[in-house]
């Protein structure tokens, strides 16, 4: 398993870097749409394994309608366009609801366990704002410096990776109090705090490297911490849906890692929360 994880990671890392830094925005959007299709297929299995293709089709149609409304090369002018901004607020609303569902689980599952429409709606609220948040971050300052958005995305991904690493090591060393035992028994409060500390260190280091003043550093730090907290929620919510669907992994596309959703679950929450909080705090 570990060998498979390492090989898959070694193959994915250069592909991710290449897509972030070298693909034109329209090709990047097309690649991201492909990832969306794969993720929607996996979400369809959360809803009902027999309906994964119709659920995926519905989610893709909804995404397509938003793409007809908003050209991907006109997201900033100079402020963020209305549709992706609306997607950020939709995402924030959904993750607040998801927090309640996770905290009250398994009792909360009685409200949605047997509703295919609700679970499909949850998928739309997870994946469509994620698509627009990722594309919006990649498009920051794109006509003046195409690498700006790529570095921003890499920064938020780095926050999540730092939080995951910090949570793993601190959880193993100090973990005693379970964070959400009914959803993910392996996660601890101490691990989450360790992850927050690691990501805060990364955020402050990057702000210092960019010669940010104290106000901008505070904005980056607060946005980063909110994004990391959201990433934990994104991970927990996917675990909740997998548990209800009787699945260990969301899929088997990535050997040693599971499915697409298993790799992006944290980012589905972290990216929109980071961007929205940064825009509101700046």
């Amino acid at each position: 398993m570990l060998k498979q994880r390492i090989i898959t990671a070694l193959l994915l890392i250069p592909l991710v870097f290449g897509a972030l830094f070298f693909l034109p925005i329209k090709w990047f959007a097309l690649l991201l749409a492909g990832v969306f299709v794969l993720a929607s297929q996996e979400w369809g299995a959360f809803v009902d394994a027999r309906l994964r293709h119709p659920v995926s089709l519905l989610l893709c149609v909804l995404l397509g309608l938003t793409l007809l409304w908003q050209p991907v090369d006109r997201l900033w002018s100079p402020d963020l366009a209305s549709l992706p901004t609306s997607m950020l607020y939709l995402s924030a609303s959904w993750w607040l609801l998801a927090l309640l569902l996770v905290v009250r689980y398994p009792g909360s599952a009685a409200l949605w366990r047997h509703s295919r429409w609700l679970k499909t709606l949850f998928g739309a609220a997870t994946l469509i704002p994620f698509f627009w948040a990722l594309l919006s971050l990649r498009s920051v300052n794109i006509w003046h410096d195409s690498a700006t958005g790529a570095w921003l995305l890499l920064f938020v991904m780095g926050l999540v990776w730092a939080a995951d690493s910090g949570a793993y090591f601190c959880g193993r060393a100090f973990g005693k109090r379970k964070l959400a035992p009914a959803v993910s028994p392996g996660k601890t409060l101490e691990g989450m705090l360790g992850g927050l500390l690691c990501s805060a260190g990364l955020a402050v280091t990057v702000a210092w490297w960019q010669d940010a003043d104290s106000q901008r550093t505070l904005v980056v730090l607060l946005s980063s911490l909110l994004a990391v907290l959201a990433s934990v929620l994104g991970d927990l919510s996917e675990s909740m849906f997998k548990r209800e669907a009787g699945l260990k992994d969301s899929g088997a596309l990535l050997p040693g890692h599971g499915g697409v959703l298993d790799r992006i679950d944290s980012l589905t929450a972290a990216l929109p929360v980071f961007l929205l909080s940064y825009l509101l705090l700046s």
Side-chain angles (χ1 to χ4, degrees):
M1 177 66 75
L2 178 59
K3 182 179 179 180
Q4 284 185 325
R5 289 178 67 89
I6 293 173
I7 292 173
T8 302
L10 290 175
L11 291 173
L12 285 177
I13 288 173
L15 292 177
V16 170
F17 271 77
L20 283 178
F21 286 94
F22 299 110
L23 277 183
I25 192 62
K26 289 186 177 181
W27 284 100
F28 184 80
L30 184 62
L31 176 64
L32 184 55
V35 173
F36 182 95
V37 172
L38 296 173
S40 68
Q41 286 278 327
E42 294 177 0
W43 195 280
F46 294 171
V47 176
D48 189 324
R50 298 165 297 181
L51 298 175
R52 62 185 302 169
H53 296 302
V55 169
S56 174
L57 178 60
L58 177 57
L59 293 176
C60 290
V61 168
L62 292 174
L63 176 66
L65 292 174
T66 65
L67 285 166
L68 288 175
W69 181 274
Q70 175 62 56
V72 298
D73 56 351
R74 301 177 188 172
L75 295 182
W76 299 87
S77 59
D79 296 325
L80 187 61
S82 60
L83 186 138
T85 299
S86 300
M87 290 293 107
L88 297 181
Y89 282 104
L90 170 62
S91 181
S93 301
W94 156 239
W95 289 115
L96 287 174
L97 173 60
L99 177 61
L100 293 176
L101 297 180
V102 168
V103 169
R104 300 298 299 273
Y105 184 81
S108 64
L111 301 173
W112 52 267
R113 179 181 290 127
H114 302 296
S115 175
R116 295 166 179 165
W117 283 108
L118 269 181
K119 287 187 283 187
T120 302
L121 181 62
F122 294 162
T126 299
L127 295 177
I128 297 177
F130 164 70
F131 175 95
W132 284 106
L134 201 160
L135 200 57
S136 297
L137 278 167
R138 177 63 185 86
S139 300
V140 170
N141 202 35
I142 192 167
W143 303 119
H144 300 285
D145 182 0
S146 61
T148 302
W151 284 113
L152 270 173
L153 271 176
L154 194 60
F155 170 65
V156 181
M157 292 177 183
L159 290 174
V160 173
W161 296 332
D164 286 345
S165 299
Y168 175 77
F169 289 109
C170 290
R172 291 197 63 177
F174 309 109
K176 293 181 180 179
R177 286 166 286 189
K178 300 296 183 182
L179 184 62
V183 176
S184 184
K187 295 188 184 301
T188 63
L189 178 61
E190 292 81 3
M192 185 188 74
L193 293 175
L196 282 170
L197 184 61
C198 288
S199 55
L202 174 62
V204 171
T205 300
V206 170
W208 171 79
W209 184 267
Q210 293 295 312
D211 291 324
D213 58 28
S214 57
Q215 182 178 354
R216 182 55 57 87
T217 299
L218 181 60
V219 169
V220 171
L221 178 60
L222 290 176
S223 300
S224 299
L225 292 178
L226 288 172
V228 169
L229 288 172
S231 76
V232 175
L233 179 57
D235 189 353
L236 289 174
S237 67
E238 197 223 358
S239 296
M240 177 178 68
F241 289 118
K242 285 193 296 187
R243 187 174 291 274
E244 282 298 311
L247 299 172
K248 181 179 183 295
D249 296 315
S250 66
L253 183 64
L254 305 173
H257 292 266
V260 172
L261 283 174
D262 292 321
R263 291 298 88 207
I264 68 170
D265 53 0
S266 298
L267 292 172
T268 58
L271 288 174
V273 167
F274 176 85
L275 181 54
L276 179 61
S277 59
Y278 189 85
L279 291 176
L280 292 176
L281 292 171
S282 294

